[in-house]
Amino acid sequence: MREQSLWVLDTNILVSRLLTPGGVAARAVDHALARGILLLSEATLTELTEVLGRAKFDPYLSPGDRQRFIELLGGLARIVPILNHVRACRDARDDKFLDLALAGSAAAIITGDNDLLQLDPFHGIPIVSPAGFLEWQ
């Protein structure tokens, strides 16, 4: 049996997956799921829950649909405890994705965030855009 790769996807990629199922971010999420396991931490899951709870998404998706997405994602992902924290990203709020990638031994971080992309690679972990991930993998 082939070992599955472990992926970190930032919050915006996951939100884009939900809002634009045919978009590049959605294809990258589906590609990652087909080839491995998504990693989540308490901090990344909390951020996703908070972002999807915003009223600005009400015209596009019901609160129930957003909650089901989070539950489904939680059932597919591996929750990783974070014991060590880094301070490396220009936007400190993005450090949680670096923490997760290191703690979970991720194969890559998939993001559209330039603050993260400029750190590629981070401790040997590639940081790629959704389009770059589709080409790379």
Side-chain angles (χ1 to χ4, degrees):
M1 184 175 182
R2 189 174 75 112
E3 183 177 328
Q4 294 205 309
S5 296
L6 305 171
W7 313 110
V8 171
L9 286 83
D10 82 3
T11 301
N12 289 329
I13 300 299
L14 294 170
V15 170
S16 293
R17 168 65 184 95
L18 185 58
L19 293 175
T20 314
V24 174
R27 291 196 325 266
V29 172
D30 294 348
H31 194 71
L33 284 169
R35 285 159 184 76
I37 299 169
L38 270 67
L39 299 177
L40 292 172
S41 67
E42 185 176 319
T44 63
L45 188 55
T46 296
E47 180 179 81
L48 179 63
T49 302
E50 289 173 356
V51 168
L52 286 177
R54 293 177 183 161
K56 72 178 186 178
F57 295 115
D58 289 348
Y60 309 105
L61 294 162
S62 73
D65 286 343
R66 288 178 269 170
Q67 184 60 40
R68 278 188 291 284
F69 177 77
I70 292 166
E71 290 169 3
L72 177 64
L73 190 64
L76 294 172
R78 179 178 298 164
I79 306 296
V80 177
I82 305 301
L83 303 176
N84 297 302
H85 296 277
V86 297
R87 293 184 193 258
C89 195
R90 181 172 55 193
D91 182 348
R93 294 173 299 179
D94 292 329
D95 284 335
K96 65 181 149 292
F97 299 105
L98 302 172
D99 294 341
L100 176 56
L102 291 172
S105 300
I109 299 171
I110 305 157
T111 182
D113 188 314
N114 286 326
D115 290 330
L116 286 168
L117 288 166
Q118 74 177 12
L119 297 174
D120 176 47
F122 185 75
H123 292 265
I125 300 170
I127 302 175
V128 297
S129 68
F133 177 68
L134 289 169
E135 291 174 12
W136 175 57
Q137 278 291 306

